[in-house]
Amino acid sequence: MADAHTASPSNPEDEFFNDLKAFHEDRGTPLRTDEKVNGRPIDLYKLYNIVREKGGYDIVSSEKLAWRKVGQEFNLGQTNTAAYAFALKTVFYKNLAAYAIKRLHNQEPPPKEILEDISAKGGDLLSRTMENFKPPQSREHVANGNDSELSGDEEHRTPKEEKMDVDDPGSGGGRATRGAGSSYFVKQARLIQLGSILGLRQAPPQRQLFQPDVSSSRQSRHAANNTQSPQPYAPSATNTGHVYGFSSNPNSSSFSINSYEPRPPIPMTLRPLPTPGSNPIAFAERVKRLVASREARAANAGQGSLPSKPGIMLPGSKSSVVQSPKIEILKPWFSAGFEGPNIYVRTLLALRCGIPEEVDFALHHLVKISHERGDKFKFEAFAGLAEGLIEKALEVGSLFYDVKWEISYSDDDESSRDLNVLDGMLGTRDLLERIRGLTPIHPPDDVELLEFTTKLIKINEAGLILRNMALLEENAKYLSEICPVRDLLTIVLNLPSRPMLIELKLNILEIAEQLTKYWSLDSTDPLYVSLLDQLSIGVDRGTSLITLRTISRIALNLEVSNRLEGVPRSVIERLCAWTLLDDEELVSACLDFFYQFTAVPENVAFLLTHAADGTVPLHALIIQLGRLLLHDAQETFSKRLITPAIPAKIATEVPNMPADILEQITQSSEPERSALWLKVCFEEDEESEITQIAIWQAYQARFNRLSSAQNPALAAAEFIKNVSTTFPRANAQVINGPPPKFIIKGIKPRHIPVDAKGRAYLRCYWKDSKSPKSCGEFFLTPDEMFTHMAATHLGLPRTEDGKWNLMTAKTAAALEGHRFNCHWSGCQHFAATNGSDSPLTVGLHIKQHLPDTSPKALLRAKANKSGSADEAFQPNHSSDPDFPSYLEIHGKPAEYDYMSWFNTAVDERGDPVGLPLTSVLVLKNLARNIPRAVGLLEGPVSELAKSEGPRGWMERMLGPVKPQLAYVFAHNRSLGTYVADLMFLIEKGIAET
């Protein structure tokens, strides 16, 4: 076996696997670190930690569905979760259980003979010893009635007092389960025991057992809020006095519901045998003869008792079941034997026997079984179970009408049957007429009688069991082939509208929802008419919602189409109104109905007829369908590149220091001085780099003359360290190569320095013939820049009060033959006149080269299309070879053309789903069938059809929604193809007509 964890213990996981390996070597058990469940590898370290956090193996095993929750951490899959959970439990049991007992609980684990060497079923490992543990028996031993796994595991029994975790109870309140069994079955078992002792033939032993499995993946009703499960109802204290047999005791193995696994019935060759049920008279005579014969033999032999060794093992209990003193000697033979039928057969027999106590017992446990084991519990494995539940549910008729419904499976003429007899072969076609002819019984609304309430609770339980089992596809198909089911659905749906019947009707409707896909119902079918009546008179949202889904599923699994004929106008009017509600689930059900309804031209003609007289708001429906095309649309954006980005030019030289910054730096000491210089002259850039020698030399050139003994310059290493301190994202690196290159990654020189607050300076671009380069001085504000140009470059003097002395400057220039001119880089404003005699004219002109800081600067920049707002505040200059332009300094971002979309929901394949899809499909049906339906119109509206023609009807009905369709087509890419097809059908219908 390969070990996946052989590395040195450098981390907790390696230490764990080394310790686990050593533990298994000492214990002498194999360790598998490559375990897999459903093809997925299981990490033992992760599994150990998850179980440890939940309290250990015993705690997880005692909690219901806990191992499934552990399995979710390993993504074992959504199907067959029970098997995967048990496989994961086995992985822990074989590899980690003993280790966890030793390391987690600080106890000695049980020997491997009662741990690793046996199945992982059950729990209680911490208290397991060789003395108290009974190992599982072999299959042959189990077949003879000694299944210790089924009888000894308390956690898998049907609970006696606890409440069941059922998502939607069928009987209202929870009641305690009876602790004793049925007197009928006790008497029957006693007679069977007596007959066996007296020499009667024993039935062959049961060889096929139900295999254990964990709890169900049961579907819950969407509207259920009550999580309590119904318990058997005890109307009076007298019910607690029944003594149940051993096989029906809740503490026996017969209640091991979770261990159920259906098996196909095995045909057996049997011959009739007198029993208390089949022939009680013959059985009693036979018993009397055998008892008399045995007593005579005992008297002749001089014995006071029978031999101590019984011949066979019998079912029964340790208590005496025979009260007659004549056969008191039989007491020692009524000892505990095999348990008899399992809980599933037990409940079936109890349901079919008709004894009230037994029926209550069966219904209680079938509710739990159908909820927890509904994915395995199938009708076809238990003949008569479905019929028994149907007959029990039909008893509801006698609570509200003077009738007791019965089912006949004979071929007699239907006219010869009584009104209360239902046709079990073909169904009762005149059932609605029979129901209308019944005399109603009006139970009081204020006070319910105990007998009435008890019956209704049991009927609700029968309906809940049928509902739970019908959720399994195999059971639904099985029920659809039983004709009395249709009659049951019809009878319950036509019961009076009472609050006490809401639970039963919801169960019946959910059953119908699962079954109608296997039926083709015409407009005269009693069930179809009853479902439409629910929509006409129903005011309950849940009832209406399930009814709509039920009608929409008719013939879903058949080749025939669901034409939905005979729908009343009131139903159509109500459904149109419901589409306006803010209830997505109800609106979706309505649109599903309209999608099937509008697929038939005759139904579309029905809509047009009533739309013409104003009784059906078809126009409003079409407008609402257009709105729903953008239901829950999410706005998204897409962009298209128009102009690519222009990257900024990297500065090659460190900029000069402005005078005010230089004065501030001179007054600072290291390392603050170098940090301030770095912030002024450099900036962060993840993609840029500078050599360490270059930035060090720039620092020396600037500060060597400013350094002194009291404020010396930093050493090279300290300076490089200060660079990383000043710019956190910059770091010193070494690029290997011949020779190695020492760089600082993440910074670059600025083109223009900034002050301590990050404000950029303005550069002077004045360049006359006396200097090969532009001035290059930096100033923070335009006023400072103008003062510099007027005093330094134009040579204008000032008066004592600080004003410019323009007359003196003009006179002096005239005497010297000097003309004032603008030498801003690239400026040709005075080139034609070679300057100007007026310093005022030139002074006003040079202000045009300074940035505009007025409040209207942004508006002018936008109107003149001069670029971004930041560019509006930069100096206006022409191309200067000594200094880059604004575009070269800052670059230019890419320009995009943005488009907005309103896309609706799609599935994982990108196909549209939800209300928008159903809406466009209904509109397509209307566009396709309106031209055909116009020819089917009759009555007064037919004259209007002749005058306008199909073209006029198409324009009248679908014309108002065409602008909305164009908008959806342009903005909703999810429905683009469907809307295009719809627009084509509309135009085609208009053109062809």
Side-chain angles (χ1 to χ4, degrees), residues 697-743:
Q697 290 176 352
Y699 169 75
Q700 284 185 318
R702 174 56 64 184
F703 292 101
N704 274 347
R705 60 184 180 86
L706 300 177
S707 301
S708 63
Q710 293 78 18
N711 191 13
L714 292 176
E718 293 296 328
F719 174 75
I720 298 301
K721 182 179 179 181
N722 195 32
V723 173
S724 299
T725 303
T726 305
F727 300 107
R729 290 185 292 180
N731 56 85
Q733 298 180 1
V734 179
I735 299 178
N736 297 325
K741 184 179 180 182
F742 297 87
I743 65 170

Coordinates of all heavy atoms in Angstrom, one line a residue, residues 697-743:
Q697 N 24.0 59.7 -7.0 CA 24.7 60.8 -7.5 C 23.9 62.1 -7.6 O 24.4 63.2 -7.3 CB 25.2 60.4 -8.9 CG 26.3 59.4 -8.9 CD 26.8 59.0 -10.3 OE1 26.1 59.4 -11.3 NE2 27.8 58.2 -10.4
A698 N 22.6 61.9 -7.9 CA 21.7 63.1 -7.9 C 21.6 63.7 -6.5 O 21.5 64.9 -6.3 CB 20.3 62.7 -8.5
Y699 N 21.5 62.8 -5.5 CA 21.4 63.3 -4.2 C 22.7 64.0 -3.8 O 22.7 65.1 -3.1 CB 21.2 62.1 -3.2 CG 21.3 62.4 -1.8 CD1 20.3 63.1 -1.1 CD2 22.4 61.9 -1.1 CE1 20.5 63.4 0.3 CE2 22.5 62.2 0.3 CZ 21.6 62.9 0.9 OH 21.7 63.2 2.3
Q700 N 23.8 63.5 -4.1 CA 25.1 64.1 -3.8 C 25.3 65.4 -4.5 O 25.7 66.4 -3.9 CB 26.3 63.2 -4.2 CG 26.5 62.0 -3.2 CD 27.7 61.2 -3.6 OE1 28.0 60.9 -4.8 NE2 28.5 60.8 -2.6
A701 N 24.9 65.5 -5.8 CA 25.0 66.8 -6.5 C 24.2 67.9 -5.9 O 24.5 69.1 -5.9 CB 24.6 66.6 -8.0
R702 N 23.1 67.5 -5.3 CA 22.2 68.5 -4.7 C 22.6 68.9 -3.3 O 22.5 70.1 -2.9 CB 20.7 68.0 -4.7 CG 19.7 68.9 -4.0 CD 19.7 70.3 -4.6 NE 19.2 70.3 -6.0 CZ 19.2 71.3 -6.7 NH1 19.6 72.5 -6.3 NH2 18.8 71.3 -8.0
F703 N 23.1 68.0 -2.5 CA 23.3 68.2 -1.1 C 24.7 68.3 -0.6 O 24.9 68.6 0.6 CB 22.5 67.2 -0.3 CG 21.0 67.3 -0.4 CD1 20.3 66.4 -1.2 CD2 20.3 68.2 0.3 CE1 19.0 66.5 -1.4 CE2 18.9 68.3 0.1 CZ 18.3 67.4 -0.7
N704 N 25.7 68.0 -1.4 CA 27.0 68.1 -0.9 C 27.4 69.5 -0.5 O 28.0 69.7 0.5 CB 28.0 67.6 -2.0 CG 28.2 66.1 -2.0 OD1 27.8 65.5 -1.0 ND2 28.8 65.6 -3.1
R705 N 26.9 70.5 -1.3 CA 27.3 71.9 -0.9 C 26.4 72.4 0.2 O 26.7 73.4 0.8 CB 27.1 72.8 -2.1 CG 25.7 72.8 -2.7 CD 25.6 73.7 -4.0 NE 24.3 73.7 -4.6 CZ 23.4 74.6 -4.2 NH1 23.7 75.5 -3.3 NH2 22.2 74.6 -4.8
L706 N 25.3 71.7 0.5 CA 24.4 72.1 1.6 C 24.7 71.4 2.9 O 24.2 71.8 4.0 CB 22.9 71.8 1.3 CG 22.4 72.6 0.0 CD1 21.0 72.1 -0.2 CD2 22.5 74.1 0.2
S707 N 25.6 70.4 2.9 CA 25.9 69.6 4.0 C 26.9 70.3 4.9 O 27.7 71.1 4.4 CB 26.4 68.2 3.7 OG 25.4 67.5 2.9
S708 N 26.9 70.0 6.1 CA 27.9 70.6 7.1 C 28.2 69.5 8.2 O 27.6 68.5 8.2 CB 27.3 71.9 7.7 OG 26.2 71.6 8.4
A709 N 29.1 69.9 9.1 CA 29.4 69.0 10.2 C 28.2 68.8 11.1 O 28.0 67.7 11.6 CB 30.6 69.5 11.0
Q710 N 27.4 69.8 11.2 CA 26.2 69.7 12.1 C 25.1 68.9 11.3 O 24.2 68.3 12.0 CB 25.7 71.0 12.5 CG 26.6 71.8 13.5 CD 27.8 72.4 12.7 OE1 27.8 72.6 11.5 NE2 28.9 72.7 13.5
N711 N 25.1 69.0 10.0 CA 24.0 68.4 9.2 C 24.6 67.6 8.0 O 24.5 68.1 6.9 CB 23.0 69.4 8.8 CG 21.7 68.8 8.2 OD1 21.5 67.6 8.3 ND2 20.9 69.6 7.5
P712 N 25.3 66.5 8.3 CA 26.0 65.8 7.2 C 25.0 65.1 6.3 O 23.9 64.8 6.7 CB 26.9 64.8 7.9 CG 26.2 64.5 9.2 CD 25.5 65.8 9.6
A713 N 25.5 64.8 5.1 CA 24.7 64.0 4.2 C 24.6 62.5 4.6 O 25.5 62.1 5.3 CB 25.2 64.1 2.7
L714 N 23.6 61.8 4.1 CA 23.5 60.4 4.5 C 24.5 59.5 3.7 O 24.9 59.9 2.6 CB 22.1 59.9 4.2 CG 20.9 60.4 5.0 CD1 19.6 59.9 4.5 CD2 21.1 60.1 6.5
A715 N 24.9 58.4 4.4 CA 25.7 57.5 3.7 C 24.9 56.8 2.6 O 23.7 56.8 2.6 CB 26.3 56.5 4.7
A716 N 25.6 56.1 1.7 CA 24.8 55.5 0.5 C 23.8 54.5 1.0 O 22.7 54.5 0.5 CB 25.9 54.9 -0.4
A717 N 24.2 53.6 1.9 CA 23.3 52.6 2.4 C 22.1 53.2 3.1 O 21.0 52.7 2.9 CB 24.1 51.6 3.3
E718 N 22.4 54.2 3.9 CA 21.3 54.8 4.7 C 20.3 55.5 3.7 O 19.1 55.6 3.9 CB 21.8 55.8 5.7 CG 22.6 55.1 6.8 CD 21.7 54.2 7.6 OE1 20.5 54.5 7.8 OE2 22.1 53.2 8.2
F719 N 20.9 56.2 2.7 CA 20.1 56.9 1.7 C 19.2 55.9 0.9 O 18.0 56.2 0.7 CB 21.0 57.7 0.7 CG 20.2 58.3 -0.4 CD1 19.4 59.4 -0.2 CD2 20.2 57.7 -1.7 CE1 18.7 60.0 -1.2 CE2 19.5 58.3 -2.7 CZ 18.7 59.4 -2.5
I720 N 19.7 54.8 0.5 CA 18.9 53.8 -0.3 C 17.8 53.2 0.6 O 16.7 53.0 0.2 CB 19.8 52.6 -0.8 CG1 20.9 53.2 -1.8 CG2 19.0 51.5 -1.4 CD1 20.3 53.9 -3.0
K721 N 18.1 53.0 1.9 CA 17.1 52.6 2.9 C 16.0 53.6 3.0 O 14.9 53.3 3.1 CB 17.8 52.2 4.2 CG 16.8 51.7 5.2 CD 17.5 51.4 6.5 CE 16.6 50.9 7.6 NZ 17.2 50.6 8.9
N722 N 16.4 54.9 3.0 CA 15.5 56.0 3.2 C 14.6 56.1 2.0 O 13.4 56.6 2.1 CB 16.2 57.3 3.4 CG 15.3 58.4 4.0 OD1 14.3 58.1 4.7 ND2 15.5 59.7 3.6
V723 N 15.0 55.7 0.8 CA 14.2 55.7 -0.4 C 13.0 54.7 -0.2 O 11.9 55.1 -0.5 CB 15.0 55.3 -1.7 CG1 14.1 55.1 -2.9 CG2 16.1 56.4 -1.9
S724 N 13.3 53.5 0.3 CA 12.2 52.5 0.5 C 11.3 53.0 1.6 O 10.1 52.7 1.6 CB 12.8 51.2 0.9 OG 13.6 50.7 -0.2
T725 N 11.8 53.8 2.6 CA 11.0 54.3 3.7 C 10.0 55.4 3.1 O 8.9 55.4 3.5 CB 11.8 54.8 4.8 OG1 12.7 53.8 5.3 CG2 11.0 55.3 6.0
T726 N 10.6 56.2 2.2 CA 9.7 57.3 1.7 C 8.7 56.8 0.7 O 7.5 57.2 0.8 CB 10.6 58.3 1.0 OG1 11.7 58.7 1.9 CG2 9.8 59.5 0.5
F727 N 9.1 55.8 -0.1 CA 8.1 55.2 -1.0 C 7.9 53.7 -0.6 O 8.8 52.9 -0.9 CB 8.6 55.3 -2.5 CG 8.9 56.7 -3.0 CD1 10.1 57.2 -3.1 CD2 7.8 57.5 -3.2 CE1 10.4 58.5 -3.5 CE2 8.0 58.8 -3.7 CZ 9.3 59.3 -3.8
P728 N 6.8 53.4 0.0 CA 6.7 52.0 0.6 C 6.7 51.0 -0.5 O 7.1 49.8 -0.3 CB 5.3 52.1 1.3 CG 5.1 53.5 1.6 CD 5.7 54.3 0.5
R729 N 6.2 51.3 -1.7 CA 6.1 50.3 -2.8 C 7.4 50.1 -3.6 O 7.5 49.3 -4.5 CB 4.9 50.6 -3.7 CG 3.6 50.4 -3.1 CD 2.4 50.6 -4.1 NE 2.3 52.0 -4.4 CZ 1.4 52.4 -5.3 NH1 0.6 51.6 -5.8 NH2 1.4 53.7 -5.6
A730 N 8.4 51.0 -3.3 CA 9.7 50.9 -3.9 C 10.6 50.0 -3.1 O 10.6 50.0 -1.9 CB 10.3 52.3 -4.1
N731 N 11.4 49.2 -3.8 CA 12.4 48.3 -3.1 C 13.6 48.2 -4.0 O 13.6 48.2 -5.2 CB 11.7 46.9 -2.9 CG 11.2 46.3 -4.2 OD1 12.0 45.6 -4.9 ND2 9.9 46.5 -4.5
A732 N 14.7 48.0 -3.2 CA 16.0 47.9 -3.9 C 16.2 46.4 -4.4 O 15.8 45.5 -3.6 CB 17.1 48.2 -2.9
Q733 N 16.7 46.2 -5.6 CA 16.8 44.9 -6.2 C 18.2 44.8 -6.9 O 18.8 45.8 -7.2 CB 15.7 44.7 -7.2 CG 14.3 44.7 -6.6 CD 13.3 44.4 -7.7 OE1 13.6 44.2 -8.9 NE2 12.0 44.4 -7.3
V734 N 18.6 43.6 -7.1 CA 19.8 43.3 -7.8 C 19.5 42.4 -9.0 O 18.9 41.4 -8.9 CB 20.9 42.6 -6.9 CG1 22.1 42.3 -7.7 CG2 21.2 43.4 -5.7
I735 N 19.8 42.9 -10.2 CA 19.6 42.2 -11.4 C 20.9 41.4 -11.8 O 21.9 42.1 -12.1 CB 19.1 43.1 -12.6 CG1 17.8 43.8 -12.2 CG2 18.9 42.3 -13.9 CD1 17.3 44.7 -13.2
N736 N 20.8 40.1 -11.8 CA 22.0 39.3 -12.0 C 22.4 39.5 -13.5 O 21.6 39.6 -14.4 CB 21.8 37.9 -11.7 CG 21.5 37.7 -10.2 OD1 22.1 38.4 -9.4 ND2 20.6 36.7 -9.9
G737 N 23.7 39.5 -13.7 CA 24.2 39.6 -15.0 C 25.7 40.1 -15.0 O 26.2 40.4 -13.9
P738 N 26.3 40.0 -16.1 CA 27.7 40.5 -16.2 C 27.8 42.0 -16.6 O 27.6 42.2 -17.8 CB 28.3 39.6 -17.2 CG 27.2 39.2 -18.1 CD 25.9 39.3 -17.3
P739 N 28.0 42.9 -15.7 CA 28.0 42.8 -14.3 C 26.6 42.9 -13.7 O 25.7 43.3 -14.4 CB 28.9 44.0 -13.9 CG 28.6 45.0 -14.9 CD 28.3 44.3 -16.2
P740 N 26.5 42.6 -12.4 CA 25.1 42.8 -11.8 C 24.7 44.3 -11.7 O 25.6 45.2 -11.6 CB 25.3 42.2 -10.4 CG 26.8 42.3 -10.1 CD 27.5 42.1 -11.4
K741 N 23.4 44.5 -11.8 CA 22.9 45.8 -11.8 C 22.0 46.1 -10.6 O 21.1 45.3 -10.3 CB 22.0 46.0 -13.1 CG 21.4 47.4 -13.3 CD 20.6 47.4 -14.6 CE 20.1 48.8 -14.9 NZ 19.2 48.9 -16.1
F742 N 22.4 47.2 -9.9 CA 21.7 47.5 -8.7 C 20.6 48.6 -9.0 O 21.0 49.7 -9.4 CB 22.7 48.0 -7.6 CG 23.6 46.9 -7.2 CD1 24.8 46.8 -7.9 CD2 23.4 46.1 -6.1 CE1 25.7 45.8 -7.5 CE2 24.3 45.1 -5.7 CZ 25.5 45.0 -6.4
I743 N 19.4 48.3 -8.8 CA 18.3 49.3 -9.1 C 17.4 49.5 -7.9 O 17.4 48.7 -6.9 CB 17.5 48.7 -10.3 CG1 16.7 47.5 -10.0 CG2 18.4 48.5 -11.5 CD1 15.7 47.0 -11.0

